[in-house]
Amino acid sequence: MKLTKDAYLSLYETMLRIRFFEETARELMLGGKLGGFLHLYSGEEAIAAGVCSELTKEDCICSTHRGHGHIIAKGGDIHKMMAELYGKATGYSQGKSGSMHIADIGMGIIGANGIVGASIPITNGVAFALRYLKKDAVAVAFFGDGASNRGTFHEALNLASVWNLPTIFICENNHFGMSTPQGRAMKLKRISDRASAYGIAGVTVDGNDPVAVKEATHEAVKRAKSGKGQSLIECVTWRHHGHYIGDPAAYKDPAEQKLWLSEERDPIPRFEARLLKEKVANAEELDGLKNKVRDVISASVAFAESSPDPSPESMYDFVYMPDEA
Amino acid sequence: MATMTYVNAIRDAQRQEMLRDPKVFVAGEDVALMGSSFGQTGGLYEEFGGERVLDTPISEGQIVSLGVGASAMGLRAVLSLDFCDFLGCCMDEVMNQAAKMTYMLGGQMCLPLTIRSNIGGEIGAAAQHSQCLEALFTHLPGLKVVSSSNPRDAKGLLSQAIRDNNPVIVLEHKALNPMTGDVPEGAFTVPFGKIELKKEGKDVSILSWANTLNKCVRAAADLEKDGIDAEVIDVRSLIPLDIDGILASVEKTGRVVIAHEAVETGGYGGEIAAMIADKGFDFLDAPIKRVGAPYTPVPFSGALEKHYQPNEERIIRAVKSLFY
Ligand SMILES: Cc1ncc(C[n+]2csc(CCOP(=O)(O)OP(=O)(O)O)c2C)c(N)n1
């Protein structure tokens, strides 16, 4: 795939936005400013960046408990996200969702989800609606290696296939479901092999290379939009931190952890080296982008901290939606 | 007005709403080619085609998730879950996805989805095909829960559910399937949150819904002979509940019997009783009585099930125990 300079830099900037958001959130939580559960996406940025770079605004995504990266890559508002982590009235859900349920329906972000595997079949509902409404668009399910062992995975891949829905399945294989390594939860080495059970395309790609992910997604979108079928794309990656903040990840092999965090494996320095080597951009340009993104994230923290708490009465809003007048 | 069976009223509600609104679709196991186990979706596939009436694989979680995703995108999903006992296979989708989505998303969209499901016994279907599980759903903020006792309400409540902007669990009693009654023709709704006064009376308020309601009406006729003038109320909309309508009746009669087919322990009757005790204690001349199923799974044998189901005799006994 031949990419323009803008396309390269856009992938890079998206990865930076995610990394800086996550690392900032981590500091804030360790500093006692944020509560709840935070499942950081650091290390997996190339997947969200690569996939979402192939999506239009009409395309939709459904996400997971580790969802910040997907939401940022699909164009979610960083200020509203940060404010939601703070539980503020200006957050995406006015403090009702926190980290795990952020959505932006207008941007095609149908929601992160606190229940592992739950969003996979919901994505089919979204895909069905897109087809029903005659939109030339796809719906993308993100989920982990662990989630692929849930029955929802089976029900969803089967339905998408038999109904020929425009659904794309992105399995982020970071090798662990909480503490449990992939090999203790399934005998298969390649999760994409599961695709054949549903008569759909399955491919495994380097999930730390945004271009590889982008290429696979490009094919999958083409296939889905032309009615030629669904795809299961397994993206092999590694999460840098524990399962959530507070998990020391003692179950990880230190040598392996070191290898995946090295400049050769970490998707961001690795992509940076490529941009420099292929002379897509020079070091100043990349530094400029970094500063720009840092400012965006800092501004989001300032926005969140200066935002009001939700009012106690607002707790009762949206349990039920009003009927149309 | 037309005379219709309960099943045909259910079918007619879906048909009318599909005619009214092109965003309404029907999905579930065997809804299309077969028209559902008892015929509740018969003819819809032939009339509206395969993109609006969809047979699904046996994948209950996916069926509800289909509705969640599609209704979040603006469609109106009418999902058939056949037997409410099967909702165990998709409880996450109902409890954590459908019930909570508008709330967690800060009201970004509506979630107009309807889950139709059969409740109840008396057809020898045993413990996994006979339960009345309304209390599982009334405990979940975000869901509305209704249950009909006759063809007219079966049509009206289901139509209202389809138009509602929230997830609604519509519980249809399978023993009522052959019941016939007058049903308004064309599009027709019954509002939620309104009791129906089935029989006026001054001595005791009997509250019920679904099949048991009809037993209460018969019990009230018998009680008349013994000089007890019972008021019979079809609660029908469990969430939202017309507590004001109920309290107005209790204020008049001073006595309450709540009868339902669900297991008495933890049943929704307990919640209504608590609300009456809380808000209407001063109206009461006697303790609130409940009549429900015993604390066992539903037995298969007719010889056993006839002792299991709340019946006229037990309702009458409960009423009489309040007069001393
Ligand atoms: C149905 C369900 N079971 C268990 C959990 C607890 N839990 C949260 S995340 C997680 C691991 C998920 O692993 P995976 O799907 O591989 O995603 P990852 O966290 O690695 O991104 C578990 C077990 C949950 N939230 N939902």
Side-chain angles (χ1 to χ4, degrees):
Chain A
M1 184 180 251
K2 188 108 190 66
L3 296 184
T4 62
K5 176 173 178 173
D6 278 355
Y8 272 119
L9 290 184
S10 161
L11 286 171
Y12 179 65
E13 185 176 340
T14 301
M15 293 201 291
L16 289 179
R17 283 166 85 88
I18 299 171
R19 177 70 57 92
F20 291 172
F21 184 90
E22 294 297 60
E23 295 305 317
T24 302
R26 180 164 183 270
E27 276 167 35
L28 291 168
M29 182 165 247
L30 293 174
K33 295 232 179 180
L34 301 181
F37 286 116
L38 276 192
H39 304 86
L40 299 183
Y41 197 66
S42 297
E44 309 186 17
E45 295 89 346
I47 305 170
V51 169
C52 293
S53 72
E54 287 293 319
L55 303 182
T56 67
K57 197 173 160 197
E58 275 214 324
D59 296 321
C60 293
I61 64 165
C62 293
S63 170
T64 68
H65 57 286
R66 201 177 300 289
H68 304 164
H70 311 137
I71 295 157
I72 292 172
K74 188 68 173 56
D77 182 318
I78 303 257
H79 280 42
K80 287 188 183 174
M81 287 179 71
M82 190 61 86
E84 189 58 42
L85 299 195
Y86 272 84
K88 294 299 185 83
T90 54
Y92 257 118
S93 308
Q94 305 103 47
K96 291 195 174 74
S97 92
S99 160
M100 281 194 283
H101 312 286
I102 296 176
D104 186 332
I105 300 290
M107 294 296 293
I109 302 163
I110 311 306
N113 209 306
I115 304 295
V116 169
S119 61
I120 315 173
I122 292 175
T123 316
N124 278 339
V126 173
F128 172 74
L130 291 172
R131 181 171 77 188
Y132 195 100
L133 298 168
K134 307 217 163 9
K135 307 247 194 245
D136 184 29
V138 300
V140 176
F142 288 100
F143 54 93
D145 48 290
S148 78
N149 294 323
R150 277 211 56 207
T152 51
F153 170 88
H154 166 71
E155 292 193 4
L157 270 71
N158 182 57
L159 186 86
S161 163
V162 73
W163 282 14
N164 199 22
L165 294 172
T167 316
I168 296 170
F169 300 95
I170 306 290
C171 180
E172 304 181 309
N173 184 356
N174 63 15
H175 299 89
F176 293 93
M178 263 163 82
S179 68
T180 306
Q182 181 188 347
R184 284 171 75 95
M186 68 175 83
K187 241 182 176 180
L188 280 180
K189 294 232 167 3
R190 281 166 53 108
I191 296 174
S192 65
D193 287 349
R194 290 186 162 169
S196 67
Y198 306 98
I200 72 173
V203 42
T204 297
V205 301
D206 179 348
N208 279 18
D209 175 0
V211 178
V213 174
K214 185 177 170 67
E215 283 169 347
T217 307
H218 184 81
E219 289 308 309
V221 170
K222 226 167 51 186
R223 201 176 295 131
K225 286 194 175 171
S226 60
K228 294 216 177 78
Q230 301 64 42
S231 311
L232 170 61
I233 304 175
E234 175 189 14
C235 304
V236 180
T237 187
W238 189 262
R239 77 169 132 75
H240 280 188
H241 300 296
H243 172 62
Y244 44 67
I245 293 177
D247 165 22
Y251 46 83
K252 283 187 184 172
D253 171 9
E256 231 184 332
Q257 168 78 354
K258 194 159 165 246
L259 174 68
W260 281 92
L261 264 66
S262 68
E263 301 232 318
E264 294 74 48
R265 285 274 178 104
D266 181 331
I268 294 178
R270 180 178 152 189
F271 196 54
E272 239 165 54
R274 174 172 175 177
L275 295 181
L276 294 173
K277 181 159 164 263
E278 294 180 13
K279 299 208 166 26
V280 177
N282 59 37
E284 289 91 272
E285 282 175 283
L286 300 187
D287 282 345
L289 274 178
K290 277 187 183 157
N291 289 334
K292 177 180 138 193
V293 172
R294 260 197 208 98
D295 288 347
V296 171
I297 306 296
S298 307
S300 77
V301 174
F303 171 77
E305 294 202 339
S306 64
S307 289
D309 284 334
S311 69
E313 314 81 68
S314 73
M315 181 166 72
Y316 298 94
D317 294 342
F318 312 125
V319 179
Y320 296 100
M321 299 302 287
D323 287 322
E324 273 131 63
Chain B
M1 216 47 99
T3 305
M4 249 184 232
T5 61
Y6 191 79
V7 161
N8 282 341
I10 293 164
R11 174 182 25 206
D12 192 35
Q14 294 171 89
R15 178 169 181 269
Q16 296 297 338
E17 294 310 305
M18 291 184 84
L19 288 171
R20 260 187 94 242
D21 184 349
K23 296 213 168 127
V24 176
F25 74 96
V26 170
E29 290 157 27
D30 307 295
V31 297
L33 299 186
M34 183 192 186
S36 300
S37 304
F38 301 108
Q40 303 98 319
T41 57
L44 297 180
Y45 171 70
E46 289 74 10
E47 183 170 355
F48 296 101
E51 193 69 359
R52 294 188 70 192
V53 184
L54 302 105
D55 280 331
T56 64
I58 304 164
S59 301
E60 284 75 13
Q62 175 63 83
I63 295 169
V64 177
S65 297
L66 174 79
V68 170
S71 61
M73 298 294 288
L75 304 189
R76 288 187 179 268
V78 185
L79 310 171
S80 166
L81 262 296
D82 241 3
F83 291 78
C84 94
D85 316 71
F86 303 166
L87 277 140
C89 298
C90 51
M91 203 54 183
D92 176 60
E93 289 75 7
V94 173
M95 168 174 92
N96 287 320
Q97 310 303 326
K100 296 175 173 50
M101 194 161 171
T102 59
Y103 188 78
M104 292 193 308
L105 270 51
Q108 285 188 46
M109 77 297 152
C110 296
L111 210 68
L113 83 89
T114 298
I115 296 175
R116 287 187 38 248
S117 197
N118 274 281
I119 55 169
E122 304 198 347
I123 63 165
Q128 296 170 339
H129 290 76
S130 300
Q131 297 172 86
C132 289
L133 296 175
E134 58 270 25
L136 292 184
F137 307 109
T138 55
H139 196 58
L140 296 168
L143 300 179
K144 297 186 181 181
V145 184
V146 300
S147 190
S148 51
S149 67
N150 60 77
R152 179 184 176 279
D153 284 359
K155 176 172 176 179
L157 290 171
L158 176 55
S159 301
Q160 181 61 38
I162 296 171
R163 292 187 201 183
D164 199 282
N165 280 335
N166 299 281
V168 186
I169 310 282
V170 179
L171 300 171
E172 297 158 354
H173 198 292
K174 58 180 92 65
L176 297 176
N177 282 337
M179 180 186 193
T180 55
D182 285 345
V183 177
E185 285 168 277
F188 160 69
T189 61
V190 165
F192 290 174
K194 282 267 165 262
I195 54 164
E196 174 161 65
L197 207 52
K198 282 287 172 184
K199 176 188 171 299
E200 263 190 86
K202 58 178 184 0
D203 297 333
V204 56
S205 303
I206 307 179
L207 315 181
S208 188
W209 54 90
N211 194 28
T212 311
L213 182 275
N214 299 309
K215 298 180 184 180
C216 293
V217 172
R218 291 192 287 272
D222 276 359
L223 285 164
E224 200 96 60
K225 294 176 203 148
D226 294 323
I228 296 176
D229 183 14
E231 180 146 298
V232 182
I233 288 175
D234 190 346
V235 177
R236 70 187 179 176
S237 170
L238 307 184
I239 305 281
L241 180 71
D242 183 5
I243 187 65
D244 294 339
I246 290 171
L247 287 171
S249 172
V250 177
E251 182 170 15
K252 184 168 64 170
T253 64
R255 291 182 174 81
V256 184
V257 170
I258 306 170
H260 57 55
E261 187 176 323
V263 173
E264 190 173 302
T265 307
Y268 192 58
E271 179 61 29
I272 298 179
M275 282 195 208
I276 294 171
D278 185 22
K279 299 190 162 87
F281 188 70
D282 291 342
F283 304 150
L284 292 172
D285 297 325
I288 301 168
K289 270 276 167 202
R290 286 182 292 159
V291 178
Y295 200 61
T296 74
V298 184
F300 163 69
S301 164
L304 295 173
E305 202 186 348
K306 80 169 182 249
H307 296 290
Y308 177 89
Q309 295 290 346
N311 57 17
E312 289 82 344
E313 188 194 318
R314 285 182 55 203
I315 295 161
I316 289 169
R317 221 183 311 135
V319 168
K320 287 192 173 166
S321 78
L322 300 180
F323 294 87
Y324 33 79

